[in-house]
Amino acid sequence: MTVSIGEIYEEVQPSDVAPEGGQIHGPRAGWKLALSSFVENRLAVAGAGIVVFFILFSFVGPLIYHTNQNSTNPINAFLPPSGAHLLGTDSNGFDELGRMMKGGQAALEIGFFASLIATVIGTLVGAVAGLLGGVVDAFLMRIVDVMLSIPLLFVILIVGDRYNGATVFSLSIIIGIFSWLVSARLVRGEVLSLRVRDFVFASRTMGASRRHLIYKHLIPNALGVVIVNITFQVADTINLLAILGFLGYGLNYPQVSWGDMLSNALNYLSDGYWWVVYPVGVCLVLVVMAFNFIGDALRDTVDVRLRRR
Amino acid sequence: MRAWIKGARAGAAVAAGALVLAACGSGTGSGGGGTGGGNTSAFNAPGGYGKLPTQSGTPKKGGIVTIAESPGAGPNYIFPITPAANESVYTIDQFQYYMWRPLWWAPQGATPTINFPQSIASAPAFSNNNKTITIHMKSGWKWSDGAPVTSKDVAFDLWLTKAAVKISPANDGNYTPGLYPDFITSIQTPNSTTVVLKVNKTYNQNFMFYNQLGQIVPLPAQAWSKTSASGATIPFANLANAEKIYKFLNAQSGKLATYATNPLWQVVDGPFKLKTFDPSTDANTLVANPAYGGPVKPKIAGIDNVAFTSTSAEFNQLLSGNLDVGFVDFSNLPQVNTLKAKGYNVWGYPDFGFSYIGYNFKDPTGDFNNIISQLYIRQALAHLQDEPAVIQSKGVFDGAAGAAYGPVPAVPKSPFAPANALTNPYPFSISAASNLLTSHGWKVVPGGTTTCQKPGTASNECGAGIPKGTALTWNLIYGNSPAVIGAQDEIWASNAKKVGITINLSSKTFNYIISNLSDVSNPSNDKIWAMQDFGGFTNSLYPTTNELFNTKGSFNFGGFSNPQIDKAIQNSISSLDNTAVQKEIGLVTAQQPGLFQPNADLVFAFKNTLSGPPASFADASQYQFSPEYWYFKK
C-alpha cells in the first residue's frame, strides 16, 4: 500500500509531535500531583477502600443489620453461624456480626479521637519548640524525652487501674494525652527547617507575630507531615486499644471494642467457636494494615523527593 | 475464701478466711461409707456435670496414679498445724491429709457430712451443758513406726496448737481468738482411746463438733515430742514445753528441701508416705504406707503429684493422656468430648460453698448505702438473677454448676440447709423486680434510668435517706479471672437494665479486690465500690456466717448489720438449739446481704483405666482425693 505525504501530514497532529527540547506542561496543582501519586499506589487505594468499608460497616451496618446489643441472652451463647445470626453468637448470646459493628465503632472513634488529640498537642508543642528554640525548645524536648522513656502501655494501665470505668471518651483522652510525643518531634524538625525559609523571614520582616507565624505559615507547611502521622497514629491507637482490651483494661461492659472481643474469645480458641475468634481478628488486622498502607502512601505523596512529577 | 468459686483455700491463704479455715479444719471427704457407696445417681443429679466413674474391672496391684496439682498452688507446708500464710486446700487436703488424718473425716463423697467409718474417732459425747466433751477413739489405727494412734496424740495436737497461737495467732490459719483452741480449759486422757475436753462455756453442740473440733489432727507424740532432731522426747502437756516443740517442728517444716528425707515426716498414720518433694515446683511423690490402719489399704503403689504453671499446660497433658487425674477448667468444657475420646471420664460437682456479689452498706456514693439497706431493693436485685440460664449457658457454666440462693447452696445438699436454700425464694422475674420498685415509689424506666419519685419511709416510699430523683446507678468491681465471674455479672447487669438499674462493671485482679476492697481493717476504699465480686467462700461443715454477716464479722467487708441475724448467729454458736444454724441460714437467705450466685462445679477428668468406688472419685469435688480406694484395672 502506498501512502501520500499529504495523508501522513493529516494524521500526525502538531500536538502529537514532541518539541525538540522536550514536552512542556503547564504547572499542575500540588494536590493533583499528590492525588495522582496516591492513586497510583494500589496498596494505598486498597487501604482507603478498606477504611471506608469499615467505617460504613461499623456506623451504617447497624442501621441495616439490626441486632440486640443491649440485653444478654445466655441461653443463646455460642450459636454457630446461621441465617438468624450470620456470624453466630458470642458468650453472652449477642449476635457476633452486630457485636463486631459495635466494636468497630469504638475502635474507629477512639482511633480518630485519640489521634486528633495527640496531633493537636504534638503539633502545637512541636511548632512552639521549633520556632522559639533556645531554652523553650530544650525544655519542651526534654519533657518529650522523659515521656518517651516511659512505656505508654505501662502508664495507661496504671491510669486505667486507678480510675474504674473506661469509656470511649476517657480512653481517647488517656491515649491521646500520652501519644503526642512523636508528632511533636516531627513537627519541631519540620519547623526548624521552615523557620529559616525566605517566606517566614519575609513575614517576620513585615512584623508578623509568633502566633501568626505558627498558625499561618509553619503549621500549614508542616501539615503534610502531620497528616501522614495521623494515619499511623490511628493504626497505633487501634492496636493499643486492642492490647488494652486483651489485657482486660479495655472498655467496660456494655461497651465493647475488638480487643475486648478478642480477649474474651481467646478463652475459646481451641473449643471450636471459630466465629468469635477469627472474624474479629481479621477486622483488626485489616483496619490497622489499611491505615498503615494509607500512611505509607501519604508519606510518599507529601515528600516531593519521592513524588513522581 | 475461694480465689473465685473453686480456688478454695488458695484464696484463704491470701485472706486468712476463718470461715474457710474452719472448713479446712473440719476436713474434707473420702469415700463415703468407708469404701464408698456404689450409687452414682446421687452425684449425677442436677448441679453435676458428666458422669461419675463406675466401679469396674479387676483390681491390679500397684501402679502410680499421676494427679495434676493446681497451677501455682502446690503444697508448701508439711506440719499439720498450718500457718495462715500456707493455708490452702492444696497444702492440707491434697497433701498433708495423705499422711496425717484428721480425727473426723468428711465429707462422704460429695456430701458435706462426717464419714464415720473413715474416721479415727466416733462422734463425741457432750455433757454438762456441752461444757464437757468426751471423745472415744477407735482401735486399730497406728503410726507407720508401729505405735498405736492414741488419746495422747490428740492431746499432743491440742497442746501444740495452743502453743502455736500463743506464739502468734498467724501460726494457725484456722485460729479465731476465743474459739478453738482457746476455749479448751482442760485436756484429759483417762485411757489410750479416750479424750475428755472441758471448755470455758456452753457452745452449740453442732458448732463445736462440725466447725471447731474438726480441726483436730492426731500427731505422733512418740516421734515428734522433741526439740531437736537428735534429742529425746520430752513431756508436752505444758505450754512451755509445747512452745519449744512447736518451734522445732515449725522450723523443720520450713525446710522444703528436706521434706522427703527428714525422718520426722516419715511417721504417718495416713495411707501414704512422702517419697520425693521438689521445693522449686512443689511437685511430689508419695508411696503407699503398708502400716495404714484405715478401713481400706491402698492398692496402688503410690501417687505422683505433678506441678503445672498454667491451666492450659495441665489441660494439654490431659489431652496427651499423661495424667490419670486432672481438673478441667471451664474454658475447656467444650473439649470434653475430646477428653472422653482420649479415655477419660469427666465429672464435676459443686463443692460446699457459695459465690456471691458483696454489697457495700458503707458506700454513700449516690446514696447507695441507703438504697441497699432497703430489703425490697435487695429482693429486686435477687429477682434479676437468672440462675437457670446462667447455669445452662455455654458462655458461662455450660451446665457445670448447681443452684445456690444463700450461703448454703442447694447443691451439694447439706444437712443444715433450710427450706429456702433449696427452693429459690426470689426466682428470676423482671416483672417481680419491677413491681417491687414501683410499689416503693420508684419510677421504673426499662432500659433507662429508674428514679425515686416518692421519698420517705412509708411502706410505699423509697426508704430512709433516699432523696427524690435518686437514680439506681452503681458500680460493680469483679475479678477478671476466671472469665465466668464477669460473664455472669454481665448477664445480671443486663437484666438490671431492663428495670432501669445501671450497674457499671469494671474488672480487677483477685488480689486487688482482696487487698483493697475486702479488707475490713482498711476502710479507706469504702467509698469506691458499691458491689464487688471476687468469687466466694468454701463453707465449714457447720455453715454459720459468723465471720461474714455478723456485724463484727472479720469478713464483713460490706458492713452489713442486722440485729436479727446477729442474734441468730450467736445462737448458732452458743445455744443448745441443734437447729440454730438452719434458722440462721434461712434468715440470711431471706435477707440477701449479697447476691448469691450459682455454685460452680469442680470438674475433673479421671482416666478410664482407673477405677474404684464412685464416692471415692466424688470426693474430688470437695477438694479431696482418696486414692487409697483407687486401683488400676487389669
Side-chain angles (χ1 to χ4, degrees):
Chain A
M1 188 175 72
T2 58
V3 179
S4 70
I5 292 173
E7 285 171 333
I8 294 172
Y9 179 78
E10 284 173 6
E11 287 178 10
V12 179
Q13 300 302 312
S15 60
D16 293 332
V17 180
E20 201 173 312
Q23 195 169 15
I24 299 173
H25 289 287
R28 291 178 69 183
W31 70 268
K32 280 187 178 174
L33 280 172
L35 183 63
S36 160
S37 172
F38 186 86
V39 168
E40 285 171 19
N41 187 328
R42 289 180 185 171
L43 286 177
V45 174
I50 290 170
V51 169
V52 170
F53 169 79
F54 274 104
I55 289 174
L56 293 173
F57 171 79
S58 302
F59 294 95
V60 180
L63 304 176
I64 300 165
Y65 185 72
H66 300 283
T67 59
N68 171 17
Q69 294 295 323
N70 296 318
S71 300
T72 58
N73 192 347
I75 294 301
N76 281 346
F78 293 127
L79 293 180
S82 66
H85 302 284
L86 294 180
L87 276 179
T89 61
D90 69 2
S91 60
N92 278 329
F94 287 127
D95 182 276
E96 183 67 9
L97 185 57
R99 205 81 186 141
M100 282 165 54
M101 292 173 181
K102 190 169 179 174
Q105 289 176 13
L108 292 170
E109 284 170 0
I110 293 176
F112 282 118
F113 192 31
S115 304
L116 191 66
I117 293 170
T119 303
V120 168
I121 298 173
T123 303
L124 285 175
V125 171
V128 169
L131 180 64
L132 299 184
V135 176
V136 175
D137 180 29
F139 177 71
L140 290 174
M141 286 305 104
R142 294 303 76 73
I143 291 177
V144 170
D145 290 343
V146 168
M147 291 185 72
L148 277 174
S149 68
I150 303 170
L152 173 60
L153 192 59
F154 180 67
V155 173
I156 293 176
L157 288 180
I158 290 175
V159 174
D161 197 52
R162 178 67 187 86
Y163 299 100
N164 296 315
T167 61
V168 168
F169 182 74
S170 66
L171 274 182
S172 300
I173 297 284
I174 292 172
I175 295 174
I177 283 176
F178 290 98
S179 302
W180 55 269
L181 309 167
V182 173
S183 298
R185 279 196 159 175
L186 287 172
V187 172
R188 173 183 172 269
E190 199 69 12
V191 168
L192 283 176
S193 154
L194 289 169
R195 72 176 185 178
V196 294
R197 301 274 179 89
D198 291 345
F199 67 94
V200 176
F201 183 72
S203 188
R204 270 184 171 158
T205 308
M206 286 188 284
S209 66
R210 284 172 176 165
R211 186 190 177 94
H212 179 86
L213 286 174
I214 289 174
Y215 286 111
K216 294 294 178 185
H217 295 295
L218 299 179
I219 290 181
N221 278 285
L223 215 52
V225 173
V226 172
I227 290 171
V228 171
N229 190 56
I230 285 178
T231 56
F232 289 121
Q233 193 100 52
V234 172
D236 288 347
T237 302
I238 292 173
N239 249 343
L240 183 62
L241 181 66
I243 293 169
L244 287 174
F246 190 77
L247 294 175
Y249 290 89
L251 295 169
N252 290 322
Y253 175 88
Q255 301 174 102
V256 69
S257 76
W258 288 339
D260 304 320
M261 293 172 72
L262 261 186
S263 172
N264 186 37
L266 281 182
N267 290 317
Y268 308 98
L269 185 62
S270 52
D271 297 343
Y273 303 141
W274 60 267
W275 56 92
V276 297
V277 182
Y278 297 113
V280 69
V282 167
C283 287
L284 194 57
V285 169
L286 281 179
V287 168
V288 172
M289 192 175 69
F291 275 108
N292 279 312
F293 284 162
I294 294 171
D296 279 341
L298 282 176
R299 186 174 53 203
D300 295 351
T301 300
V302 298
D303 187 338
V304 291
R305 288 165 300 183
L306 300 174
R307 191 163 68 197
R308 280 200 276 173
R309 293 171 187 276
Chain B
M1 185 180 297
R2 313 193 249 197
W4 97 266
I5 293 178
K6 300 303 175 188
R9 276 165 271 191
V14 174
L19 187 73
V20 174
L21 305 178
C24 189
S26 54
T28 51
S30 173
T35 54
N39 178 15
T40 62
S41 61
F43 306 116
N44 297 327
Y49 181 90
K51 283 193 82 173
L52 192 63
T54 53
Q55 187 161 9
S56 63
T58 308
K60 184 171 73 176
K61 189 90 175 150
I64 302 292
V65 175
T66 54
I67 302 175
E69 288 183 351
S70 194
N76 55 14
Y77 197 84
I78 195 167
F79 180 40
I81 298 173
T82 312
N86 305 89
E87 177 97 1
S88 79
V89 286
Y90 311 110
T91 288
I92 297 174
D93 301 54
Q94 296 175 10
F95 181 61
Q96 292 176 0
Y97 281 2
Y98 285 139
M99 296 172 275
W100 298 282
R101 290 286 154 125
L103 205 48
W104 290 284
W105 192 251
Q108 294 198 45
T111 308
T113 55
I114 299 284
N115 183 340
F116 286 107
Q118 183 86 355
S119 299
I120 298 174
S122 52
F126 291 83
S127 57
N128 187 25
N129 273 341
N130 293 352
K131 289 183 191 171
T132 302
I133 304 152
T134 306
I135 300 167
H136 294 289
M137 299 171 68
K138 298 176 192 172
S139 56
W141 285 79
K142 55 186 175 182
W143 298 105
S144 51
D145 63 4
V149 178
T150 68
S151 55
K152 280 195 174 176
D153 299 322
V154 173
F156 183 50
D157 176 60
L158 292 171
W159 278 105
L160 288 195
T161 307
K162 275 180 169 286
V165 299
K166 182 167 181 275
I167 295 167
S168 168
N171 283 338
D172 182 7
N174 289 334
Y175 180 60
T176 301
L179 295 177
Y180 178 89
D182 291 351
F183 57 43
I184 298 172
T185 56
S186 159
I187 306 166
Q188 294 171 342
T189 53
N191 59 51
S192 65
T193 58
T194 306
V195 182
V196 179
L197 303 177
K198 290 190 175 164
V199 295
N200 56 0
K201 62 180 182 182
T202 296
Y203 288 96
N204 182 282
Q205 181 175 318
N206 287 330
F207 171 73
M208 185 64 82
F209 178 35
Y210 292 102
N211 192 295
Q212 297 289 297
L213 300 181
Q215 299 177 46
I216 299 173
V217 179
L219 302 177
Q222 81 286 356
W224 290 7
S225 180
K226 51 189 184 182
T227 56
S228 68
S230 56
T233 56
I234 62 170
F236 58 79
N238 63 78
L239 266 181
N241 277 6
E243 281 184 35
K244 289 177 196 165
I245 297 166
Y246 170 79
K247 283 177 182 172
F248 168 64
L249 295 172
N250 180 46
Q252 296 300 301
S253 193
K255 300 173 184 172
L256 276 73
T258 67
Y259 277 6
T261 54
N262 192 329
L264 284 171
W265 313 132
Q266 291 300 308
V267 184
V268 303
D269 64 348
F272 296 95
K273 294 168 73 170
L274 191 63
K275 184 184 178 190
T276 64
F277 189 91
D278 181 345
S280 60
T281 64
D282 299 333
N284 58 83
T285 58
L286 298 105
V287 293
N289 169 20
Y292 177 56
V296 173
K297 288 185 168 47
K299 296 176 186 67
I300 57 172
I303 304 163
D304 183 3
N305 286 314
V306 186
F308 290 97
T309 53
S310 70
T311 53
S312 57
E314 186 262 356
F315 191 71
N316 286 337
Q317 283 295 86
L318 274 177
L319 287 177
S320 59
N322 291 335
L323 292 169
D324 294 312
V325 180
F327 58 89
V328 181
D329 189 72
F330 279 98
S331 62
N332 294 318
L333 287 186
Q335 297 188 72
V336 159
N337 283 336
T338 310
L339 274 183
K340 287 179 181 171
K342 296 275 183 184
Y344 285 97
N345 273 304
V346 179
W347 178 81
Y349 204 69
D351 81 312
F352 186 45
F354 65 95
S355 299
Y356 81 126
I357 291 174
Y359 299 150
N360 187 357
F361 295 84
K362 299 178 283 187
D363 179 22
T365 312
D367 291 303
F368 182 75
N369 52 346
N370 297 322
I371 293 169
I372 203 65
S373 294
Q374 303 301 319
L375 175 60
Y376 74 87
I377 291 281
R378 302 198 298 272
Q379 290 171 327
L381 292 173
H383 277 301
L384 293 170
Q385 183 181 220
D386 190 354
E387 281 209 22
V390 167
I391 291 170
Q392 290 309 315
S393 172
K394 285 184 177 176
V396 193
F397 290 114
D398 200 8
Y405 317 117
V408 167
V411 184
K413 189 177 175 183
S414 161
F416 297 114
N420 63 0
L422 306 176
T423 307
N424 194 349
Y426 307 110
F428 175 61
S429 169
I430 300 291
S431 59
S434 180
N435 290 340
L436 274 167
L437 295 172
T438 307
S439 63
H440 286 85
W442 295 81
K443 184 186 176 189
V444 173
V445 183
T449 303
T450 292
T451 52
C452 172
Q453 296 299 305
K454 292 182 185 172
T457 56
S459 62
N460 64 342
E461 293 172 340
C462 300
I466 303 174
K468 185 172 184 178
T470 300
L472 293 176
T473 302
W474 323 296
N475 71 333
L476 164 55
I477 301 172
Y478 64 91
N480 58 7
S481 180
V484 284
I485 294 182
Q488 56 183 332
D489 290 351
E490 285 176 5
I491 291 167
W492 184 54
S494 172
N495 290 334
K497 195 65 187 169
K498 291 174 183 170
V499 293
I501 298 174
T502 303
I503 299 174
N504 295 313
L505 299 171
S506 60
S507 64
K508 296 284 184 190
T509 63
F510 171 78
N511 284 343
Y512 173 89
I513 296 175
I514 292 301
S515 306
N516 295 284
L517 311 183
S518 306
D519 185 356
V520 176
S521 63
N522 178 17
S524 60
N525 289 327
D526 280 351
K527 294 177 184 174
I528 68 169
W529 65 278
M531 301 173 173
Q532 62 162 291
D533 185 1
F534 59 83
F537 289 88
T538 297
N539 282 333
S540 153
L541 290 183
Y542 185 78
T544 176
T545 60
N546 182 34
E547 283 88 9
L548 263 179
F549 301 126
N550 193 339
T551 299
K552 293 181 180 175
S554 54
F555 278 98
N556 185 5
F557 33 76
F560 175 75
S561 182
N562 181 306
Q564 249 187 312
I565 288 180
D566 286 352
K567 175 83 174 128
I569 289 171
Q570 191 53 44
N571 286 341
S572 294
I573 293 172
S574 56
S575 80
L576 295 173
D577 179 3
N578 282 339
T579 63
V581 82
Q582 282 102 316
K583 291 170 184 165
E584 174 201 327
I585 298 302
L587 203 53
V588 171
T589 305
Q591 284 289 322
Q592 293 284 304
L595 182 81
F596 296 98
Q597 299 173 305
N599 195 19
D601 288 359
L602 278 184
V603 183
F604 286 92
F606 301 100
K607 217 167 197 179
N608 284 339
T609 51
L610 199 61
S611 190
S616 67
F617 291 102
D619 290 345
S621 67
Q622 309 303 307
Y623 295 104
Q624 183 71 56
F625 295 123
S626 300
E628 65 268 31
Y629 287 99
W630 300 345
Y631 57 83
F632 287 103
K633 292 186 271 190
K634 278 184 180 171

